[in-house]
Amino acid sequence: SYPTPQGSRCGRMAEENPIPRLDACCGCIQLKLGVLILCVLQMIASGFMMLLIGSYLLFGYAPGDNLPMLGGAFTLFALIVVMLLTAAEFGFALYAFSDIRKAEPQGIRFYYIVKIVSFFLSLFVFCLTSDWTSPEILNLFISSTISLYCIWCIWSLHEALMLGGEAAAKAGFTLEEASATSPLLKKGEEEKDSKRVMQSAYV
C-alpha cells in the first residue's frame, strides 16, 4: 500500500500533546514575538526587583513601606527566596531569548520549567507570610492568572517548535534562522526524505 498525505497528517496529529496549544499570544501577536517580548519584560522586571531587594538587604532600606508583589512580607527568608527566584528567572529568560532566535528548544523548555517552579514557590512564600487580606488575595489571583498564561504561551512555543512544519511556521519560526541542531532542520530533512520515498513508491 502506498503512503498517503492523509496518513502523514494523522501521524503528525498523533505527535501533538493532548494539552491545548496556543497559536498566538494574546490572540493577535505571533507566538514567537510574544514570548520574546515576555523574555525582555521578565529581564527588566527581574533586574529591577533584584536591585530593589539588594538595596534593602545591603542598606536596610527600600522605597515605600513594602516591597511590591511580596504580600507585605519583610522577612529575611522571603527576601532570600524571592531574590533567588528572580535571579533564576532573569538568567533563564536570557537563555530562552537566545535560543528562540536560533530556533532551539532547550532554552525555552528550561524557561517554562523555571517559571512553573517559581510559581509554586511564590505561592508557598505567600501562604507563609500573607495576612490573607482581600487586597492580597486579589493580588494573588491576578498575578497567578498572568503567570499561568505566560507559562502556557512559553510551553506552546516549545511544542510548536518541536512539532515543526505548519505549527512552527505559524508560531513564527523559519528555516533560515535555525541553527545546525535545531529540530526545524531535522523535520525538514524528514519531510524531504518522506517525499522522496513517496515519489519512488509511485514510480
Side-chain angles (χ1 to χ4, degrees), residues 137-189:
I137 294 173
L138 178 61
N139 180 48
L140 174 67
F141 175 76
I142 294 173
S143 60
S144 297
T145 302
I146 295 173
S147 295
L148 290 173
Y149 183 77
C150 290
I151 292 169
W152 192 16
C153 288
I154 300 165
W155 173 84
S156 297
L157 184 68
H158 175 268
E159 291 297 300
L161 177 57
M162 295 304 295
L163 285 170
E166 183 181 352
K170 193 171 183 180
F173 291 106
T174 61
L175 288 175
E176 288 75 14
E177 64 184 350
S179 65
T181 56
S182 172
L184 287 184
L185 294 181
K186 296 177 183 177
K187 292 284 184 181
E189 291 298 325

mmCIF file of all heavy atoms in Angstrom, residues 137-189:
data_model
loop_
_atom_site.group_PDB
_atom_site.id
_atom_site.type_symbol
_atom_site.label_atom_id
_atom_site.label_comp_id
_atom_site.label_asym_id
_atom_site.label_seq_id
_atom_site.Cartn_x
_atom_site.Cartn_y
_atom_site.Cartn_z
ATOM 1 N N ILE A 137 -5.275 38.798 48.512
ATOM 2 C CA ILE A 137 -5.877 37.679 47.779
ATOM 3 C C ILE A 137 -6.167 38.090 46.341
ATOM 4 O O ILE A 137 -5.945 37.310 45.403
ATOM 5 C CB ILE A 137 -7.155 37.210 48.492
ATOM 6 C CG1 ILE A 137 -6.813 36.613 49.863
ATOM 7 C CG2 ILE A 137 -7.895 36.174 47.645
ATOM 8 C CD1 ILE A 137 -8.023 36.268 50.708
ATOM 9 N N LEU A 138 -6.662 39.314 46.146
ATOM 10 C CA LEU A 138 -6.911 39.808 44.789
ATOM 11 C C LEU A 138 -5.602 39.904 44.014
ATOM 12 O O LEU A 138 -5.541 39.517 42.835
ATOM 13 C CB LEU A 138 -7.589 41.179 44.854
ATOM 14 C CG LEU A 138 -7.877 41.854 43.501
ATOM 15 C CD1 LEU A 138 -8.826 40.991 42.667
ATOM 16 C CD2 LEU A 138 -8.453 43.243 43.703
ATOM 17 N N ASN A 139 -4.556 40.397 44.669
ATOM 18 C CA ASN A 139 -3.245 40.493 44.029
ATOM 19 C C ASN A 139 -2.727 39.102 43.645
ATOM 20 O O ASN A 139 -2.159 38.904 42.570
ATOM 21 C CB ASN A 139 -2.259 41.175 44.971
ATOM 22 C CG ASN A 139 -0.879 41.312 44.377
ATOM 23 O OD1 ASN A 139 -0.721 41.741 43.244
ATOM 24 N ND2 ASN A 139 0.134 40.921 45.132
ATOM 25 N N LEU A 140 -2.934 38.119 44.545
ATOM 26 C CA LEU A 140 -2.526 36.744 44.263
ATOM 27 C C LEU A 140 -3.269 36.181 43.064
ATOM 28 O O LEU A 140 -2.668 35.538 42.191
ATOM 29 C CB LEU A 140 -2.783 35.864 45.494
ATOM 30 C CG LEU A 140 -2.527 34.364 45.304
ATOM 31 C CD1 LEU A 140 -1.043 34.103 45.075
ATOM 32 C CD2 LEU A 140 -3.035 33.582 46.515
ATOM 33 N N PHE A 141 -4.576 36.430 42.982
ATOM 34 C CA PHE A 141 -5.379 35.914 41.876
ATOM 35 C C PHE A 141 -4.935 36.507 40.541
ATOM 36 O O PHE A 141 -4.745 35.782 39.556
ATOM 37 C CB PHE A 141 -6.858 36.236 42.116
ATOM 38 C CG PHE A 141 -7.755 35.853 40.970
ATOM 39 C CD1 PHE A 141 -8.111 34.528 40.756
ATOM 40 C CD2 PHE A 141 -8.232 36.819 40.095
ATOM 41 C CE1 PHE A 141 -8.924 34.173 39.689
ATOM 42 C CE2 PHE A 141 -9.048 36.475 39.034
ATOM 43 C CZ PHE A 141 -9.389 35.149 38.832
ATOM 44 N N ILE A 142 -4.730 37.824 40.512
ATOM 45 C CA ILE A 142 -4.339 38.484 39.263
ATOM 46 C C ILE A 142 -2.949 38.031 38.818
ATOM 47 O O ILE A 142 -2.727 37.670 37.656
ATOM 48 C CB ILE A 142 -4.381 40.014 39.432
ATOM 49 C CG1 ILE A 142 -5.820 40.481 39.657
ATOM 50 C CG2 ILE A 142 -3.785 40.714 38.206
ATOM 51 C CD1 ILE A 142 -5.945 41.953 39.991
ATOM 52 N N SER A 143 -1.985 38.039 39.761
ATOM 53 C CA SER A 143 -0.615 37.663 39.407
ATOM 54 C C SER A 143 -0.532 36.190 39.013
ATOM 55 O O SER A 143 0.230 35.832 38.107
ATOM 56 C CB SER A 143 0.332 37.965 40.569
ATOM 57 O OG SER A 143 -0.040 37.237 41.721
ATOM 58 N N SER A 144 -1.311 35.315 39.672
ATOM 59 C CA SER A 144 -1.304 33.889 39.331
ATOM 60 C C SER A 144 -1.881 33.656 37.943
ATOM 61 O O SER A 144 -1.361 32.848 37.164
ATOM 62 C CB SER A 144 -2.106 33.088 40.364
ATOM 63 O OG SER A 144 -1.523 33.180 41.640
ATOM 64 N N THR A 145 -2.956 34.365 37.614
ATOM 65 C CA THR A 145 -3.569 34.228 36.287
ATOM 66 C C THR A 145 -2.596 34.653 35.185
ATOM 67 O O THR A 145 -2.440 33.957 34.171
ATOM 68 C CB THR A 145 -4.852 35.078 36.203
ATOM 69 O OG1 THR A 145 -5.764 34.668 37.229
ATOM 70 C CG2 THR A 145 -5.521 34.910 34.843
ATOM 71 N N ILE A 146 -1.925 35.786 35.401
ATOM 72 C CA ILE A 146 -0.951 36.266 34.415
ATOM 73 C C ILE A 146 0.213 35.290 34.285
ATOM 74 O O ILE A 146 0.660 34.975 33.174
ATOM 75 C CB ILE A 146 -0.452 37.669 34.796
ATOM 76 C CG1 ILE A 146 -1.606 38.675 34.717
ATOM 77 C CG2 ILE A 146 0.694 38.105 33.886
ATOM 78 C CD1 ILE A 146 -1.249 40.059 35.230
ATOM 79 N N SER A 147 0.710 34.789 35.417
ATOM 80 C CA SER A 147 1.844 33.857 35.401
ATOM 81 C C SER A 147 1.497 32.571 34.665
ATOM 82 O O SER A 147 2.278 32.070 33.851
ATOM 83 C CB SER A 147 2.287 33.533 36.830
ATOM 84 O OG SER A 147 2.788 34.672 37.471
ATOM 85 N N LEU A 148 0.313 32.020 34.937
ATOM 86 C CA LEU A 148 -0.101 30.777 34.275
ATOM 87 C C LEU A 148 -0.280 30.974 32.777
ATOM 88 O O LEU A 148 0.073 30.090 31.979
ATOM 89 C CB LEU A 148 -1.396 30.258 34.905
ATOM 90 C CG LEU A 148 -1.263 29.704 36.327
ATOM 91 C CD1 LEU A 148 -2.637 29.382 36.906
ATOM 92 C CD2 LEU A 148 -0.382 28.457 36.344
ATOM 93 N N TYR A 149 -0.798 32.129 32.372
ATOM 94 C CA TYR A 149 -0.960 32.387 30.934
ATOM 95 C C TYR A 149 0.409 32.514 30.256
ATOM 96 O O TYR A 149 0.608 32.006 29.141
ATOM 97 C CB TYR A 149 -1.781 33.650 30.705
ATOM 98 C CG TYR A 149 -2.040 33.911 29.234
ATOM 99 C CD1 TYR A 149 -3.010 33.176 28.543
ATOM 100 C CD2 TYR A 149 -1.307 34.860 28.530
ATOM 101 C CE1 TYR A 149 -3.246 33.403 27.197
ATOM 102 C CE2 TYR A 149 -1.537 35.082 27.191
ATOM 103 C CZ TYR A 149 -2.510 34.346 26.527
ATOM 104 O OH TYR A 149 -2.724 34.557 25.196
ATOM 105 N N CYS A 150 1.358 33.174 30.919
ATOM 106 C CA CYS A 150 2.710 33.299 30.357
ATOM 107 C C CYS A 150 3.365 31.925 30.211
ATOM 108 O O CYS A 150 4.015 31.639 29.206
ATOM 109 C CB CYS A 150 3.567 34.201 31.236
ATOM 110 S SG CYS A 150 3.089 35.947 31.210
ATOM 111 N N ILE A 151 3.191 31.064 31.227
ATOM 112 C CA ILE A 151 3.732 29.709 31.149
ATOM 113 C C ILE A 151 3.107 28.956 29.977
ATOM 114 O O ILE A 151 3.797 28.239 29.240
ATOM 115 C CB ILE A 151 3.481 28.962 32.474
ATOM 116 C CG1 ILE A 151 4.318 29.573 33.602
ATOM 117 C CG2 ILE A 151 3.802 27.477 32.335
ATOM 118 C CD1 ILE A 151 3.951 29.079 34.983
ATOM 119 N N TRP A 152 1.811 29.128 29.783
ATOM 120 C CA TRP A 152 1.109 28.478 28.671
ATOM 121 C C TRP A 152 1.670 28.948 27.328
ATOM 122 O O TRP A 152 1.870 28.139 26.412
ATOM 123 C CB TRP A 152 -0.386 28.771 28.785
ATOM 124 C CG TRP A 152 -1.256 27.939 27.895
ATOM 125 C CD1 TRP A 152 -0.915 26.780 27.246
ATOM 126 C CD2 TRP A 152 -2.627 28.189 27.565
ATOM 127 N NE1 TRP A 152 -1.987 26.289 26.523
ATOM 128 C CE2 TRP A 152 -3.040 27.136 26.708
ATOM 129 C CE3 TRP A 152 -3.530 29.185 27.911
ATOM 130 C CZ2 TRP A 152 -4.328 27.076 26.188
ATOM 131 C CZ3 TRP A 152 -4.825 29.121 27.400
ATOM 132 C CH2 TRP A 152 -5.212 28.086 26.553
ATOM 133 N N CYS A 153 1.931 30.247 27.197
ATOM 134 C CA CYS A 153 2.497 30.787 25.953
ATOM 135 C C CYS A 153 3.875 30.189 25.679
ATOM 136 O O CYS A 153 4.173 29.781 24.550
ATOM 137 C CB CYS A 153 2.597 32.310 26.037
ATOM 138 S SG CYS A 153 1.026 33.184 25.941
ATOM 139 N N ILE A 154 4.719 30.156 26.708
ATOM 140 C CA ILE A 154 6.086 29.638 26.525
ATOM 141 C C ILE A 154 6.052 28.159 26.173
ATOM 142 O O ILE A 154 6.766 27.695 25.277
ATOM 143 C CB ILE A 154 6.914 29.884 27.800
ATOM 144 C CG1 ILE A 154 6.995 31.385 28.098
ATOM 145 C CG2 ILE A 154 8.321 29.328 27.644
ATOM 146 C CD1 ILE A 154 7.461 31.709 29.512
ATOM 147 N N TRP A 155 5.208 27.408 26.882
ATOM 148 C CA TRP A 155 5.083 25.968 26.592
ATOM 149 C C TRP A 155 4.563 25.741 25.174
ATOM 150 O O TRP A 155 5.042 24.851 24.455
ATOM 151 C CB TRP A 155 4.147 25.319 27.610
ATOM 152 C CG TRP A 155 3.836 23.886 27.303
ATOM 153 C CD1 TRP A 155 4.587 22.793 27.620
ATOM 154 C CD2 TRP A 155 2.699 23.396 26.590
ATOM 155 N NE1 TRP A 155 3.979 21.650 27.151
ATOM 156 C CE2 TRP A 155 2.823 21.985 26.516
ATOM 157 C CE3 TRP A 155 1.587 24.009 26.018
ATOM 158 C CZ2 TRP A 155 1.875 21.188 25.888
ATOM 159 C CZ3 TRP A 155 0.640 23.211 25.387
ATOM 160 C CH2 TRP A 155 0.793 21.813 25.338
ATOM 161 N N SER A 156 3.602 26.538 24.741
ATOM 162 C CA SER A 156 3.036 26.402 23.394
ATOM 163 C C SER A 156 4.090 26.656 22.328
ATOM 164 O O SER A 156 4.124 25.977 21.301
ATOM 165 C CB SER A 156 1.860 27.378 23.210
ATOM 166 O OG SER A 156 0.806 27.078 24.097
ATOM 167 N N LEU A 157 4.962 27.641 22.564
ATOM 168 C CA LEU A 157 6.031 27.920 21.607
ATOM 169 C C LEU A 157 6.984 26.734 21.516
ATOM 170 O O LEU A 157 7.417 26.350 20.419
ATOM 171 C CB LEU A 157 6.788 29.177 22.028
ATOM 172 C CG LEU A 157 7.882 29.639 21.060
ATOM 173 C CD1 LEU A 157 7.275 30.129 19.751
ATOM 174 C CD2 LEU A 157 8.731 30.741 21.686
ATOM 175 N N HIS A 158 7.309 26.145 22.658
ATOM 176 C CA HIS A 158 8.183 24.970 22.659
ATOM 177 C C HIS A 158 7.555 23.815 21.893
ATOM 178 O O HIS A 158 8.221 23.159 21.082
ATOM 179 C CB HIS A 158 8.465 24.553 24.106
ATOM 180 C CG HIS A 158 9.253 23.290 24.232
ATOM 181 N ND1 HIS A 158 8.643 22.045 24.344
ATOM 182 C CD2 HIS A 158 10.590 23.057 24.238
ATOM 183 C CE1 HIS A 158 9.579 21.116 24.423
ATOM 184 N NE2 HIS A 158 10.765 21.701 24.363
ATOM 185 N N GLU A 159 6.262 23.572 22.111
ATOM 186 C CA GLU A 159 5.574 22.483 21.409
ATOM 187 C C GLU A 159 5.516 22.735 19.909
ATOM 188 O O GLU A 159 5.704 21.813 19.108
ATOM 189 C CB GLU A 159 4.158 22.322 21.979
ATOM 190 C CG GLU A 159 4.127 21.781 23.388
ATOM 191 C CD GLU A 159 4.696 20.380 23.482
ATOM 192 O OE1 GLU A 159 4.156 19.472 22.825
ATOM 193 O OE2 GLU A 159 5.699 20.204 24.201
ATOM 194 N N ALA A 160 5.251 23.985 19.516
ATOM 195 C CA ALA A 160 5.191 24.323 18.087
ATOM 196 C C ALA A 160 6.545 24.096 17.423
ATOM 197 O O ALA A 160 6.628 23.587 16.299
ATOM 198 C CB ALA A 160 4.750 25.776 17.917
ATOM 199 N N LEU A 161 7.619 24.454 18.117
ATOM 200 C CA LEU A 161 8.964 24.260 17.574
ATOM 201 C C LEU A 161 9.279 22.777 17.434
ATOM 202 O O LEU A 161 9.861 22.344 16.428
ATOM 203 C CB LEU A 161 9.988 24.942 18.472
ATOM 204 C CG LEU A 161 11.465 24.776 18.095
ATOM 205 C CD1 LEU A 161 11.720 25.274 16.676
ATOM 206 C CD2 LEU A 161 12.355 25.522 19.082
ATOM 207 N N MET A 162 8.907 21.970 18.422
ATOM 208 C CA MET A 162 9.187 20.541 18.371
ATOM 209 C C MET A 162 8.352 19.846 17.295
ATOM 210 O O MET A 162 8.809 18.883 16.670
ATOM 211 C CB MET A 162 8.907 19.905 19.735
ATOM 212 C CG MET A 162 9.825 20.386 20.848
ATOM 213 S SD MET A 162 11.589 20.152 20.477
ATOM 214 C CE MET A 162 11.685 18.367 20.430
ATOM 215 N N LEU A 163 7.131 20.335 17.048
ATOM 216 C CA LEU A 163 6.291 19.749 16.004
ATOM 217 C C LEU A 163 6.819 20.090 14.610
ATOM 218 O O LEU A 163 6.730 19.281 13.689
ATOM 219 C CB LEU A 163 4.851 20.239 16.145
ATOM 220 C CG LEU A 163 4.028 19.631 17.278
ATOM 221 C CD1 LEU A 163 2.716 20.383 17.429
ATOM 222 C CD2 LEU A 163 3.759 18.159 17.028
ATOM 223 N N GLY A 164 7.345 21.302 14.467
ATOM 224 C CA GLY A 164 7.865 21.728 13.167
ATOM 225 C C GLY A 164 6.746 21.968 12.167
ATOM 226 O O GLY A 164 5.566 22.062 12.514
ATOM 227 N N GLY A 165 7.097 22.059 10.903
ATOM 228 C CA GLY A 165 6.123 22.198 9.832
ATOM 229 C C GLY A 165 5.239 23.420 9.982
ATOM 230 O O GLY A 165 5.697 24.520 10.301
ATOM 231 N N GLU A 166 3.939 23.215 9.764
ATOM 232 C CA GLU A 166 2.980 24.321 9.793
ATOM 233 C C GLU A 166 2.879 24.955 11.180
ATOM 234 O O GLU A 166 2.743 26.174 11.305
ATOM 235 C CB GLU A 166 1.610 23.811 9.358
ATOM 236 C CG GLU A 166 0.545 24.893 9.275
ATOM 237 C CD GLU A 166 -0.809 24.343 8.865
ATOM 238 O OE1 GLU A 166 -0.874 23.155 8.497
ATOM 239 O OE2 GLU A 166 -1.787 25.110 8.917
ATOM 240 N N ALA A 167 2.969 24.125 12.232
ATOM 241 C CA ALA A 167 2.870 24.653 13.600
ATOM 242 C C ALA A 167 4.014 25.620 13.894
ATOM 243 O O ALA A 167 3.808 26.699 14.453
ATOM 244 C CB ALA A 167 2.872 23.509 14.604
ATOM 245 N N ALA A 168 5.237 25.254 13.506
ATOM 246 C CA ALA A 168 6.396 26.114 13.744
ATOM 247 C C ALA A 168 6.334 27.379 12.894
ATOM 248 O O ALA A 168 6.671 28.471 13.353
ATOM 249 C CB ALA A 168 7.687 25.356 13.452
ATOM 250 N N ALA A 169 5.890 27.223 11.640
ATOM 251 C CA ALA A 169 5.783 28.383 10.756
ATOM 252 C C ALA A 169 4.741 29.368 11.277
ATOM 253 O O ALA A 169 4.952 30.583 11.255
ATOM 254 C CB ALA A 169 5.419 27.928 9.341
ATOM 255 N N LYS A 170 3.623 28.850 11.765
ATOM 256 C CA LYS A 170 2.576 29.722 12.306
ATOM 257 C C LYS A 170 3.045 30.435 13.559
ATOM 258 O O LYS A 170 2.647 31.567 13.832
ATOM 259 C CB LYS A 170 1.325 28.895 12.600
ATOM 260 C CG LYS A 170 0.080 29.724 12.865
ATOM 261 C CD LYS A 170 -1.152 28.842 12.928
ATOM 262 C CE LYS A 170 -2.397 29.685 13.114
ATOM 263 N NZ LYS A 170 -3.623 28.844 13.185
ATOM 264 N N ALA A 171 3.912 29.764 14.339
ATOM 265 C CA ALA A 171 4.449 30.385 15.554
ATOM 266 C C ALA A 171 5.474 31.465 15.237
ATOM 267 O O ALA A 171 5.778 32.304 16.088
ATOM 268 C CB ALA A 171 5.072 29.325 16.452
ATOM 269 N N GLY A 172 6.045 31.448 14.022
ATOM 270 C CA GLY A 172 6.991 32.489 13.616
ATOM 271 C C GLY A 172 8.395 32.015 13.328
ATOM 272 O O GLY A 172 9.275 32.822 13.059
ATOM 273 N N PHE A 173 8.636 30.694 13.352
ATOM 274 C CA PHE A 173 9.970 30.168 13.082
ATOM 275 C C PHE A 173 10.187 29.971 11.585
ATOM 276 O O PHE A 173 9.258 29.646 10.842
ATOM 277 C CB PHE A 173 10.177 28.828 13.802
ATOM 278 C CG PHE A 173 10.257 28.935 15.294
ATOM 279 C CD1 PHE A 173 9.202 28.524 16.089
ATOM 280 C CD2 PHE A 173 11.388 29.457 15.900
ATOM 281 C CE1 PHE A 173 9.268 28.616 17.471
ATOM 282 C CE2 PHE A 173 11.463 29.558 17.283
ATOM 283 C CZ PHE A 173 10.405 29.135 18.062
ATOM 284 N N THR A 174 11.424 30.155 11.146
ATOM 285 C CA THR A 174 11.793 29.920 9.755
ATOM 286 C C THR A 174 13.061 29.079 9.707
ATOM 287 O O THR A 174 13.856 29.089 10.649
ATOM 288 C CB THR A 174 12.044 31.246 9.007
ATOM 289 O OG1 THR A 174 13.118 31.953 9.639
ATOM 290 C CG2 THR A 174 10.792 32.115 9.003
ATOM 291 N N LEU A 175 13.265 28.370 8.608
ATOM 292 C CA LEU A 175 14.458 27.540 8.459
ATOM 293 C C LEU A 175 15.727 28.381 8.384
ATOM 294 O O LEU A 175 16.805 27.929 8.765
ATOM 295 C CB LEU A 175 14.335 26.670 7.208
ATOM 296 C CG LEU A 175 13.325 25.513 7.270
ATOM 297 C CD1 LEU A 175 13.235 24.828 5.914
ATOM 298 C CD2 LEU A 175 13.730 24.508 8.348
ATOM 299 N N GLU A 176 15.604 29.619 7.867
ATOM 300 C CA GLU A 176 16.778 30.459 7.690
ATOM 301 C C GLU A 176 17.455 30.802 9.019
ATOM 302 O O GLU A 176 18.678 30.944 9.092
ATOM 303 C CB GLU A 176 16.397 31.757 6.959
ATOM 304 C CG GLU A 176 16.068 31.583 5.483
ATOM 305 C CD GLU A 176 14.698 30.958 5.263
ATOM 306 O OE1 GLU A 176 13.902 30.916 6.228
ATOM 307 O OE2 GLU A 176 14.436 30.488 4.140
ATOM 308 N N GLU A 177 16.675 30.926 10.101
ATOM 309 C CA GLU A 177 17.250 31.309 11.389
ATOM 310 C C GLU A 177 17.663 30.104 12.222
ATOM 311 O O GLU A 177 18.276 30.267 13.278
ATOM 312 C CB GLU A 177 16.222 32.126 12.182
ATOM 313 C CG GLU A 177 14.980 31.332 12.555
ATOM 314 C CD GLU A 177 13.926 32.174 13.243
ATOM 315 O OE1 GLU A 177 14.235 33.328 13.594
ATOM 316 O OE2 GLU A 177 12.802 31.675 13.417
ATOM 317 N N ALA A 178 17.329 28.895 11.786
ATOM 318 C CA ALA A 178 17.580 27.696 12.592
ATOM 319 C C ALA A 178 19.066 27.374 12.642
ATOM 320 O O ALA A 178 19.785 27.472 11.640
ATOM 321 C CB ALA A 178 16.799 26.513 12.020
ATOM 322 N N SER A 179 19.522 26.971 13.822
ATOM 323 C CA SER A 179 20.908 26.539 13.979
ATOM 324 C C SER A 179 21.058 25.109 13.484
ATOM 325 O O SER A 179 20.081 24.442 13.133
ATOM 326 C CB SER A 179 21.324 26.632 15.452
ATOM 327 O OG SER A 179 20.579 25.717 16.231
ATOM 328 N N ALA A 180 22.285 24.608 13.487
ATOM 329 C CA ALA A 180 22.555 23.281 12.936
ATOM 330 C C ALA A 180 21.866 22.168 13.727
ATOM 331 O O ALA A 180 21.555 21.111 13.179
ATOM 332 C CB ALA A 180 24.066 23.032 12.910
ATOM 333 N N THR A 181 21.617 22.399 15.020
ATOM 334 C CA THR A 181 20.992 21.373 15.854
ATOM 335 C C THR A 181 19.496 21.613 16.079
ATOM 336 O O THR A 181 18.876 20.929 16.883
ATOM 337 C CB THR A 181 21.689 21.323 17.229
ATOM 338 O OG1 THR A 181 21.640 22.625 17.840
ATOM 339 C CG2 THR A 181 23.137 20.877 17.084
ATOM 340 N N SER A 182 18.930 22.571 15.381
ATOM 341 C CA SER A 182 17.513 22.887 15.562
ATOM 342 C C SER A 182 16.630 21.751 15.054
ATOM 343 O O SER A 182 16.913 21.141 14.024
ATOM 344 C CB SER A 182 17.163 24.175 14.811
ATOM 345 O OG SER A 182 15.763 24.393 14.830
ATOM 346 N N PRO A 183 15.539 21.439 15.759
ATOM 347 C CA PRO A 183 14.605 20.404 15.273
ATOM 348 C C PRO A 183 13.931 20.783 13.969
ATOM 349 O O PRO A 183 13.430 19.915 13.256
ATOM 350 C CB PRO A 183 13.586 20.281 16.415
ATOM 351 C CG PRO A 183 13.691 21.561 17.175
ATOM 352 C CD PRO A 183 15.125 21.974 17.063
ATOM 353 N N LEU A 184 13.923 22.093 13.633
ATOM 354 C CA LEU A 184 13.331 22.506 12.355
ATOM 355 C C LEU A 184 14.075 21.884 11.182
ATOM 356 O O LEU A 184 13.463 21.431 10.211
ATOM 357 C CB LEU A 184 13.352 24.029 12.227
ATOM 358 C CG LEU A 184 12.370 24.822 13.079
ATOM 359 C CD1 LEU A 184 12.480 26.303 12.746
ATOM 360 C CD2 LEU A 184 10.952 24.341 12.866
ATOM 361 N N LEU A 185 15.412 21.860 11.256
ATOM 362 C CA LEU A 185 16.199 21.270 10.175
ATOM 363 C C LEU A 185 15.979 19.766 10.105
ATOM 364 O O LEU A 185 15.883 19.186 9.014
ATOM 365 C CB LEU A 185 17.684 21.570 10.385
ATOM 366 C CG LEU A 185 18.098 23.040 10.281
ATOM 367 C CD1 LEU A 185 19.596 23.176 10.482
ATOM 368 C CD2 LEU A 185 17.700 23.610 8.929
ATOM 369 N N LYS A 186 15.858 19.119 11.264
ATOM 370 C CA LYS A 186 15.614 17.680 11.280
ATOM 371 C C LYS A 186 14.252 17.357 10.684
ATOM 372 O O LYS A 186 14.106 16.415 9.903
ATOM 373 C CB LYS A 186 15.704 17.149 12.713
ATOM 374 C CG LYS A 186 17.084 17.303 13.330
ATOM 375 C CD LYS A 186 17.098 16.820 14.774
ATOM 376 C CE LYS A 186 18.462 17.041 15.415
ATOM 377 N NZ LYS A 186 18.471 16.632 16.840
ATOM 378 N N LYS A 187 13.251 18.158 11.045
ATOM 379 C CA LYS A 187 11.917 17.953 10.483
ATOM 380 C C LYS A 187 11.917 18.171 8.984
ATOM 381 O O LYS A 187 11.265 17.460 8.231
ATOM 382 C CB LYS A 187 10.917 18.908 11.149
ATOM 383 C CG LYS A 187 10.655 18.614 12.615
ATOM 384 C CD LYS A 187 9.759 17.423 12.788
ATOM 385 C CE LYS A 187 9.426 17.190 14.260
ATOM 386 N NZ LYS A 187 8.563 16.023 14.456
ATOM 387 N N GLY A 188 12.672 19.216 8.544
ATOM 388 C CA GLY A 188 12.742 19.486 7.113
ATOM 389 C C GLY A 188 13.371 18.340 6.351
ATOM 390 O O GLY A 188 12.908 17.953 5.279
ATOM 391 N N GLU A 189 14.442 17.765 6.904
ATOM 392 C CA GLU A 189 15.080 16.622 6.264
ATOM 393 C C GLU A 189 14.155 15.410 6.243
ATOM 394 O O GLU A 189 14.099 14.677 5.257
ATOM 395 C CB GLU A 189 16.378 16.277 7.006
ATOM 396 C CG GLU A 189 17.482 17.301 6.848
ATOM 397 C CD GLU A 189 17.922 17.456 5.397
ATOM 398 O OE1 GLU A 189 17.922 16.443 4.663
ATOM 399 O OE2 GLU A 189 18.240 18.590 4.992
#
